[in-house]
Amino acid sequence: MIIKLKAMLVKELKQMLRDPKMRMIVFVFPLLQLMVFSFALTMDVKNIDIAVVDYDRSAHSRELTDSFEASGYFVVQHRPESTEDVKKLLDEGDVRGAVVFPKGFEKGILSGRGASVQVIADGTMSNDAGIIMNYANGVVNTYAAGKSVKVTEAVTFQQRNLFNPNLLSRFYYVPGLITLMMMVTGMVLTSIAIVREKEIGTIEQVMVTPISRTEFIIGKTVPFMLTGLITTTLMFILAYFIFGIAVKGNIFLLFAVVVMSIITYLGLALLVSASARTQQQALLTSFFLMMPSALLSGYIFPVSNMPEPVQYFTCLVPMRWSLEGIIGVVIKGATAAELSKQLIWLTIHAVFFMVFASMKFKKTLE
């Protein structure tokens, strides 16, 4: 089996890289697109899931919490006991911010000595974090203006942006663009891999060789996976030297997320290729799948902004889990346990697409 797969690997690599234009598409275009698109995206924010840590447990802290919910911008999803629990919620992506009321908050207001409320935002989405802080500031100021005591002077607004203190947009957009480029290059190149063999008439030559259908699918996948890993590595190197984005988490965990993501995209592309009759049909199908994948992944529009049925549907979009996994490792430094949901979903997608592609390929031969 190893000898047959090696022969397939050599054949596919030669076929893919012998054309200088193809080498440009595989290795150069993703880097150029990363440079061009890194400064071009913005996002609006609403339905912000937050956690509230209330050490004071007073009427004033509860009233201000109610003001956050009544504003229409915030939804209190969790009420953890301590700020340590807040970090875990932020790492896992369950909330996008937190409000912390220190002990003595009410006494400080009533005495006129001053009181503080801390607002924490997930800085990986820098545009969102800035808007969250502005919304929170407005809620606090409105609350202060409506009090009979001098709360306007008593309440001090303190902000803290985790993971991205300076709210630099590149720390979110660049890793997200890397994820997008992984999907685009993998889908476009691989979607024509099988159907091209059909069009030029070499599929019969391949199938008369002593190679099983599973080995054929694996042989088609491995070369594109290797080139995908090389291209992705180059993009991360470019992100580090040009944009100063270093990997905060475990490099091996990032490698696992990238590999599972690439296998998922290749499996989906091979399924498209096995189902298509012409290369044009395969390419059009790939582009048709890529657009909703990008829109529903949470990269351009936060998933929490979408209607609830659509939010459930996004679970079927591989790019969502790939994006969350890469952002979690690169920017947040999240652990494997904190990204277990993303890894499980990516594994499910990868296995499903690869198995279904093998079955579909068998079906097209009958």
PDB file of all heavy atoms in Angstrom, residues 12 34 76 100 115 117 165 172 201 220 228 259 263 268 280 283 292 324-325 337 351 359 361:
ATOM      1  N   GLU A  12       0.743  12.976  -8.534  1.00  0.00           N
ATOM      2  CA  GLU A  12      -0.077  14.152  -8.275  1.00  0.00           C
ATOM      3  C   GLU A  12       0.770  15.400  -8.106  1.00  0.00           C
ATOM      4  O   GLU A  12       0.410  16.485  -8.581  1.00  0.00           O
ATOM      5  CB  GLU A  12      -0.940  13.925  -7.032  1.00  0.00           C
ATOM      6  CG  GLU A  12      -2.058  12.911  -7.219  1.00  0.00           C
ATOM      7  CD  GLU A  12      -3.057  13.339  -8.258  1.00  0.00           C
ATOM      8  OE1 GLU A  12      -3.350  14.554  -8.351  1.00  0.00           O
ATOM      9  OE2 GLU A  12      -3.547  12.478  -9.003  1.00  0.00           O
ATOM     10  N   LEU A  34      -3.541  37.521   1.369  1.00  0.00           N
ATOM     11  CA  LEU A  34      -3.438  37.809   2.798  1.00  0.00           C
ATOM     12  C   LEU A  34      -3.000  39.248   3.032  1.00  0.00           C
ATOM     13  O   LEU A  34      -3.542  39.944   3.903  1.00  0.00           O
ATOM     14  CB  LEU A  34      -2.451  36.836   3.449  1.00  0.00           C
ATOM     15  CG  LEU A  34      -2.241  36.973   4.956  1.00  0.00           C
ATOM     16  CD1 LEU A  34      -3.503  36.602   5.710  1.00  0.00           C
ATOM     17  CD2 LEU A  34      -1.071  36.114   5.411  1.00  0.00           C
ATOM     18  N   VAL A  76     -27.012  38.937  29.340  1.00  0.00           N
ATOM     19  CA  VAL A  76     -26.269  38.296  30.435  1.00  0.00           C
ATOM     20  C   VAL A  76     -26.507  36.795  30.353  1.00  0.00           C
ATOM     21  O   VAL A  76     -27.591  36.302  30.670  1.00  0.00           O
ATOM     22  CB  VAL A  76     -26.710  38.845  31.803  1.00  0.00           C
ATOM     23  CG1 VAL A  76     -25.952  38.130  32.921  1.00  0.00           C
ATOM     24  CG2 VAL A  76     -26.475  40.350  31.878  1.00  0.00           C
ATOM     25  N   VAL A 100     -17.682  43.329  36.022  1.00  0.00           N
ATOM     26  CA  VAL A 100     -17.288  42.925  37.373  1.00  0.00           C
ATOM     27  C   VAL A 100     -17.611  44.061  38.348  1.00  0.00           C
ATOM     28  O   VAL A 100     -17.117  45.182  38.186  1.00  0.00           O
ATOM     29  CB  VAL A 100     -15.790  42.581  37.435  1.00  0.00           C
ATOM     30  CG1 VAL A 100     -15.406  42.142  38.852  1.00  0.00           C
ATOM     31  CG2 VAL A 100     -15.442  41.493  36.426  1.00  0.00           C
ATOM     32  N   ALA A 115     -16.983  54.799  43.217  1.00  0.00           N
ATOM     33  CA  ALA A 115     -17.044  53.354  43.046  1.00  0.00           C
ATOM     34  C   ALA A 115     -16.607  53.004  41.635  1.00  0.00           C
ATOM     35  O   ALA A 115     -16.628  53.848  40.736  1.00  0.00           O
ATOM     36  CB  ALA A 115     -18.469  52.842  43.301  1.00  0.00           C
ATOM     37  N   VAL A 117     -16.648  50.045  38.370  1.00  0.00           N
ATOM     38  CA  VAL A 117     -17.189  48.852  37.734  1.00  0.00           C
ATOM     39  C   VAL A 117     -16.251  48.505  36.583  1.00  0.00           C
ATOM     40  O   VAL A 117     -15.865  49.367  35.796  1.00  0.00           O
ATOM     41  CB  VAL A 117     -18.634  49.067  37.221  1.00  0.00           C
ATOM     42  CG1 VAL A 117     -18.723  50.264  36.296  1.00  0.00           C
ATOM     43  CG2 VAL A 117     -19.142  47.824  36.507  1.00  0.00           C
ATOM     44  N   PRO A 165      -4.876  44.048  23.938  1.00  0.00           N
ATOM     45  CA  PRO A 165      -5.068  45.258  24.749  1.00  0.00           C
ATOM     46  C   PRO A 165      -5.225  46.533  23.936  1.00  0.00           C
ATOM     47  O   PRO A 165      -5.974  47.419  24.320  1.00  0.00           O
ATOM     48  CB  PRO A 165      -3.799  45.295  25.617  1.00  0.00           C
ATOM     49  CG  PRO A 165      -3.306  43.892  25.645  1.00  0.00           C
ATOM     50  CD  PRO A 165      -3.653  43.310  24.324  1.00  0.00           C
ATOM     51  N   TYR A 172      -7.152  40.007  14.725  1.00  0.00           N
ATOM     52  CA  TYR A 172      -8.311  39.162  14.415  1.00  0.00           C
ATOM     53  C   TYR A 172      -8.398  38.859  12.925  1.00  0.00           C
ATOM     54  O   TYR A 172      -8.614  37.718  12.515  1.00  0.00           O
ATOM     55  CB  TYR A 172      -9.602  39.835  14.872  1.00  0.00           C
ATOM     56  CG  TYR A 172     -10.833  39.092  14.413  1.00  0.00           C
ATOM     57  CD1 TYR A 172     -11.181  37.872  14.990  1.00  0.00           C
ATOM     58  CD2 TYR A 172     -11.622  39.593  13.385  1.00  0.00           C
ATOM     59  CE1 TYR A 172     -12.305  37.178  14.553  1.00  0.00           C
ATOM     60  CE2 TYR A 172     -12.742  38.908  12.953  1.00  0.00           C
ATOM     61  CZ  TYR A 172     -13.080  37.702  13.541  1.00  0.00           C
ATOM     62  OH  TYR A 172     -14.184  37.027  13.111  1.00  0.00           O
ATOM     63  N   GLY A 201      -9.305  11.624 -19.800  1.00  0.00           N
ATOM     64  CA  GLY A 201      -9.325  10.211 -20.137  1.00  0.00           C
ATOM     65  C   GLY A 201      -8.323   9.344 -19.408  1.00  0.00           C
ATOM     66  O   GLY A 201      -8.117   8.181 -19.781  1.00  0.00           O
ATOM     67  N   LYS A 220      -5.044  11.181  -3.728  1.00  0.00           N
ATOM     68  CA  LYS A 220      -5.439  12.499  -4.199  1.00  0.00           C
ATOM     69  C   LYS A 220      -5.377  13.541  -3.080  1.00  0.00           C
ATOM     70  O   LYS A 220      -5.186  14.731  -3.338  1.00  0.00           O
ATOM     71  CB  LYS A 220      -6.871  12.444  -4.758  1.00  0.00           C
ATOM     72  CG  LYS A 220      -6.991  11.790  -6.118  1.00  0.00           C
ATOM     73  CD  LYS A 220      -6.448  12.694  -7.207  1.00  0.00           C
ATOM     74  CE  LYS A 220      -6.682  12.138  -8.593  1.00  0.00           C
ATOM     75  NZ  LYS A 220      -6.116  13.000  -9.651  1.00  0.00           N
ATOM     76  N   GLY A 228      -0.902  22.389   1.084  1.00  0.00           N
ATOM     77  CA  GLY A 228      -1.693  23.252   1.966  1.00  0.00           C
ATOM     78  C   GLY A 228      -0.953  23.578   3.245  1.00  0.00           C
ATOM     79  O   GLY A 228      -0.997  24.716   3.730  1.00  0.00           O
ATOM     80  N   VAL A 259      -4.257  20.866  10.355  1.00  0.00           N
ATOM     81  CA  VAL A 259      -4.339  19.596   9.617  1.00  0.00           C
ATOM     82  C   VAL A 259      -5.783  19.134   9.490  1.00  0.00           C
ATOM     83  O   VAL A 259      -6.232  18.740   8.399  1.00  0.00           O
ATOM     84  CB  VAL A 259      -3.477  18.517  10.309  1.00  0.00           C
ATOM     85  CG1 VAL A 259      -3.780  17.135   9.728  1.00  0.00           C
ATOM     86  CG2 VAL A 259      -2.004  18.830  10.140  1.00  0.00           C
ATOM     87  N   ILE A 263      -7.813  18.749   5.941  1.00  0.00           N
ATOM     88  CA  ILE A 263      -8.424  17.463   5.559  1.00  0.00           C
ATOM     89  C   ILE A 263      -9.913  17.635   5.323  1.00  0.00           C
ATOM     90  O   ILE A 263     -10.494  17.060   4.388  1.00  0.00           O
ATOM     91  CB  ILE A 263      -8.158  16.407   6.644  1.00  0.00           C
ATOM     92  CG1 ILE A 263      -6.664  16.065   6.710  1.00  0.00           C
ATOM     93  CG2 ILE A 263      -8.960  15.136   6.369  1.00  0.00           C
ATOM     94  CD1 ILE A 263      -6.301  15.100   7.816  1.00  0.00           C
ATOM     95  N   LEU A 268     -14.291  17.701   1.382  1.00  0.00           N
ATOM     96  CA  LEU A 268     -15.440  18.335   0.738  1.00  0.00           C
ATOM     97  C   LEU A 268     -15.166  18.580  -0.742  1.00  0.00           C
ATOM     98  O   LEU A 268     -16.039  18.358  -1.594  1.00  0.00           O
ATOM     99  CB  LEU A 268     -15.755  19.657   1.440  1.00  0.00           C
ATOM    100  CG  LEU A 268     -16.902  20.499   0.863  1.00  0.00           C
ATOM    101  CD1 LEU A 268     -18.203  19.705   0.843  1.00  0.00           C
ATOM    102  CD2 LEU A 268     -17.073  21.786   1.657  1.00  0.00           C
ATOM    103  N   GLN A 280     -15.519  22.707 -15.048  1.00  0.00           N
ATOM    104  CA  GLN A 280     -16.274  23.930 -14.855  1.00  0.00           C
ATOM    105  C   GLN A 280     -17.375  23.740 -13.816  1.00  0.00           C
ATOM    106  O   GLN A 280     -17.594  24.595 -12.955  1.00  0.00           O
ATOM    107  CB  GLN A 280     -16.879  24.383 -16.180  1.00  0.00           C
ATOM    108  CG  GLN A 280     -17.624  25.715 -16.095  1.00  0.00           C
ATOM    109  CD  GLN A 280     -18.243  26.119 -17.421  1.00  0.00           C
ATOM    110  OE1 GLN A 280     -18.530  25.264 -18.264  1.00  0.00           O
ATOM    111  NE2 GLN A 280     -18.444  27.403 -17.619  1.00  0.00           N
ATOM    112  N   LEU A 283     -15.737  23.636 -10.337  1.00  0.00           N
ATOM    113  CA  LEU A 283     -15.315  24.956  -9.857  1.00  0.00           C
ATOM    114  C   LEU A 283     -16.507  25.802  -9.437  1.00  0.00           C
ATOM    115  O   LEU A 283     -16.470  26.478  -8.401  1.00  0.00           O
ATOM    116  CB  LEU A 283     -14.508  25.663 -10.945  1.00  0.00           C
ATOM    117  CG  LEU A 283     -13.093  25.132 -11.204  1.00  0.00           C
ATOM    118  CD1 LEU A 283     -12.477  25.825 -12.405  1.00  0.00           C
ATOM    119  CD2 LEU A 283     -12.214  25.321  -9.975  1.00  0.00           C
ATOM    120  N   PRO A 292     -21.203  30.933   1.147  1.00  0.00           N
ATOM    121  CA  PRO A 292     -21.947  30.790   2.408  1.00  0.00           C
ATOM    122  C   PRO A 292     -21.073  30.325   3.562  1.00  0.00           C
ATOM    123  O   PRO A 292     -21.343  30.660   4.718  1.00  0.00           O
ATOM    124  CB  PRO A 292     -23.024  29.751   2.071  1.00  0.00           C
ATOM    125  CG  PRO A 292     -22.548  29.050   0.864  1.00  0.00           C
ATOM    126  CD  PRO A 292     -21.740  30.049   0.093  1.00  0.00           C
ATOM    127  N   GLU A 324     -12.577  29.371  14.757  1.00  0.00           N
ATOM    128  CA  GLU A 324     -12.554  29.444  16.216  1.00  0.00           C
ATOM    129  C   GLU A 324     -11.314  28.752  16.779  1.00  0.00           C
ATOM    130  O   GLU A 324     -10.719  29.219  17.763  1.00  0.00           O
ATOM    131  CB  GLU A 324     -13.825  28.821  16.792  1.00  0.00           C
ATOM    132  CG  GLU A 324     -15.089  29.626  16.494  1.00  0.00           C
ATOM    133  CD  GLU A 324     -16.328  28.987  17.097  1.00  0.00           C
ATOM    134  OE1 GLU A 324     -16.190  27.958  17.799  1.00  0.00           O
ATOM    135  OE2 GLU A 324     -17.438  29.514  16.882  1.00  0.00           O
ATOM    136  N   GLY A 325     -10.927  27.637  16.163  1.00  0.00           N
ATOM    137  CA  GLY A 325      -9.746  26.923  16.647  1.00  0.00           C
ATOM    138  C   GLY A 325      -8.470  27.709  16.441  1.00  0.00           C
ATOM    139  O   GLY A 325      -7.638  27.819  17.354  1.00  0.00           O
ATOM    140  N   ALA A 337      -8.213  21.343  25.797  1.00  0.00           N
ATOM    141  CA  ALA A 337      -9.474  21.131  26.514  1.00  0.00           C
ATOM    142  C   ALA A 337     -10.462  22.237  26.207  1.00  0.00           C
ATOM    143  O   ALA A 337     -11.665  21.991  26.046  1.00  0.00           O
ATOM    144  CB  ALA A 337      -9.207  21.047  28.022  1.00  0.00           C
ATOM    145  N   VAL A 351     -13.984  13.213   8.762  1.00  0.00           N
ATOM    146  CA  VAL A 351     -14.325  11.800   8.543  1.00  0.00           C
ATOM    147  C   VAL A 351     -15.516  11.674   7.603  1.00  0.00           C
ATOM    148  O   VAL A 351     -15.515  10.861   6.665  1.00  0.00           O
ATOM    149  CB  VAL A 351     -14.619  11.110   9.894  1.00  0.00           C
ATOM    150  CG1 VAL A 351     -15.151   9.692   9.659  1.00  0.00           C
ATOM    151  CG2 VAL A 351     -13.356  11.064  10.750  1.00  0.00           C
ATOM    152  N   MET A 359     -17.250   6.890  -1.079  1.00  0.00           N
ATOM    153  CA  MET A 359     -18.469   6.215  -1.506  1.00  0.00           C
ATOM    154  C   MET A 359     -19.003   6.797  -2.813  1.00  0.00           C
ATOM    155  O   MET A 359     -19.428   6.061  -3.710  1.00  0.00           O
ATOM    156  CB  MET A 359     -19.532   6.350  -0.411  1.00  0.00           C
ATOM    157  CG  MET A 359     -19.203   5.625   0.880  1.00  0.00           C
ATOM    158  SD  MET A 359     -20.366   6.001   2.213  1.00  0.00           S
ATOM    159  CE  MET A 359     -21.904   5.446   1.468  1.00  0.00           C
ATOM    160  N   PHE A 361     -17.291   8.318  -5.149  1.00  0.00           N
ATOM    161  CA  PHE A 361     -16.377   7.963  -6.222  1.00  0.00           C
ATOM    162  C   PHE A 361     -16.650   6.541  -6.706  1.00  0.00           C
ATOM    163  O   PHE A 361     -16.677   6.262  -7.898  1.00  0.00           O
ATOM    164  CB  PHE A 361     -14.931   8.085  -5.744  1.00  0.00           C
ATOM    165  CG  PHE A 361     -13.926   7.661  -6.756  1.00  0.00           C
ATOM    166  CD1 PHE A 361     -13.780   8.360  -7.946  1.00  0.00           C
ATOM    167  CD2 PHE A 361     -13.107   6.560  -6.532  1.00  0.00           C
ATOM    168  CE1 PHE A 361     -12.835   7.971  -8.892  1.00  0.00           C
ATOM    169  CE2 PHE A 361     -12.189   6.164  -7.473  1.00  0.00           C
ATOM    170  CZ  PHE A 361     -12.044   6.877  -8.650  1.00  0.00           C
TER     171      PHE A 361
END
